[in-house]
Amino acid sequence: MSNELLGKTFKVENLIDYQENAVVSREIIRKETGTVTIFAFDKGEGLSEHTAPFDAMVQVVDGKAEIIISNNSNIVEKGEMIIMPANDPHALKAIERFKMVLTMIRSN
């Protein structure tokens, strides 16, 4: 866990910077029950289709992305969120530069 953030107020979008032609991530919380990670995607960057063994919530804090869950396309932008069910294939691509908070909760 990032101890410098404990008990402090901060703007999520300021915790990570964009890098040209890259995907950048910063883990904020890691617990046995799940993780919270911040990502910054340059325009056109993304993550190829994959699955995760736990439910995952994406909250977009800047920009816009396409998130595909089980072949269904969803456009999400700043201020919106989407929940990706455990074990469903998903992928994402930055329509424009975007930042997101990914919260993963383990399922039993």
Side-chain angles (χ1 to χ4, degrees), residues 40-55:
F41 293 79
D42 197 12
K43 182 178 180 177
E45 295 296 321
L47 298 175
S48 59
E49 186 174 78
H50 62 283
T51 60
F54 14 75
D55 295 328

Side-chain angles (χ1 to χ4, degrees), residues 55-74:
D55 295 328
M57 182 181 75
V58 169
Q59 179 182 6
V60 178
V61 295
D62 189 39
K64 184 189 295 185
E66 176 185 27
I67 298 179
I68 301 168
I69 304 170
S70 297
N71 295 318
N72 294 313
S73 175
N74 303 273

Side-chain angles (χ1 to χ4, degrees), residues 27-96:
E27 191 171 80
I28 301 301
I29 298 172
R30 173 178 285 281
K31 299 284 184 179
E32 198 172 301
T33 53
T35 60
V36 176
T37 307
I38 300 170
F39 288 84
F41 293 79
D42 197 12
K43 182 178 180 177
E45 295 296 321
L47 298 175
S48 59
E49 186 174 78
H50 62 283
T51 60
F54 14 75
D55 295 328
M57 182 181 75
V58 169
Q59 179 182 6
V60 178
V61 295
D62 189 39
K64 184 189 295 185
E66 176 185 27
I67 298 179
I68 301 168
I69 304 170
S70 297
N71 295 318
N72 294 313
S73 175
N74 303 273
I75 305 301
V76 289
E77 52 191 282
K78 184 177 181 175
E80 296 180 331
M81 63 167 69
I82 190 166
I83 297 172
M84 301 179 295
N87 303 310
D88 279 10
H90 54 273
L92 60 87
K93 184 173 183 179
I95 294 171
E96 57 188 50

